[in-house]
Amino acid sequence: MSHGLSILAFVLPIFCVTDSVSAQIVRVWDLAEKSQSGQMTFYNPDDNDAQYGTPISSADLNGDGRADFIVSAMAADGPPNDVRQNSGEIHVYFSEGTIRGTVDFRYQNLRTIAIYGERSDDIFGIKHASGDFD
């Protein structure tokens, strides 16, 4: 994946609970090495999409009991061919239940969806929230 895209990678803290409560981060890694256990890398769909990853969140959007990843590119120009300047985008990755591998939002598949702002300068995705509404 050398198409010059922005990369988001996250280190998740793992908490260990014993008789006395303690927490520690147990894994730190080189972000260039994408095959490490417990690491998942998300690629921006367009290297010109400013503000990618602002904001990010997670929620169980499809009701399968796993948190799904939600990321915005609020200054993105939308498809096709970047014709809606700063319309904004939100990308969703539906979790498989593991944290590993890479997801390139440039290519849609069964585990990803994209939602685009309607008009130029909508900056869709500048804020987003999720919850269980039923």
Side-chain angles (χ1 to χ4, degrees):
M1 306 242 173
S2 60
H3 39 71
L5 301 179
S6 302
I7 299 173
L8 287 179
F10 301 93
V11 176
L12 300 176
I14 296 175
F15 298 98
C16 302
V17 179
T18 59
D19 290 336
S20 62
V21 177
S22 65
Q24 63 182 4
I25 295 177
V26 295
R27 201 174 287 278
V28 178
W29 51 72
D30 176 3
L31 296 181
E33 176 54 56
K34 294 181 278 300
S35 64
Q36 299 172 95
S37 175
Q39 177 178 334
M40 186 165 218
T41 304
F42 294 87
Y43 287 92
N44 187 355
D46 185 335
D47 56 356
N48 294 315
D49 286 350
Q51 304 298 325
Y52 180 68
T54 308
I56 62 169
S57 64
S58 66
D60 182 5
L61 298 177
N62 57 358
D64 65 358
R66 298 185 294 244
D68 305 309
F69 179 69
I70 308 160
V71 61
S72 292
M74 65 184 187
D77 298 329
N81 304 320
D82 298 332
V83 296
R84 295 188 303 263
Q85 185 175 16
N86 296 318
S87 61
E89 304 173 2
I90 291 179
H91 296 268
V92 176
Y93 168 74
F94 295 102
S95 176
E96 296 179 69
T98 59
I99 300 174
R100 67 168 184 255
T102 61
V103 175
D104 190 337
F105 284 119
R106 179 179 291 205
Y107 307 106
Q108 297 298 300
N109 62 55
L110 295 175
R111 294 229 162 261
T112 63
I113 62 167
I115 307 165
Y116 302 98
E118 183 179 4
R119 294 177 299 271
S120 292
D121 298 320
D122 276 353
I123 56 173
F124 179 70
I126 191 168
K127 295 189 185 297
H128 62 254
S130 57
D132 184 355
F133 295 103
D134 64 346

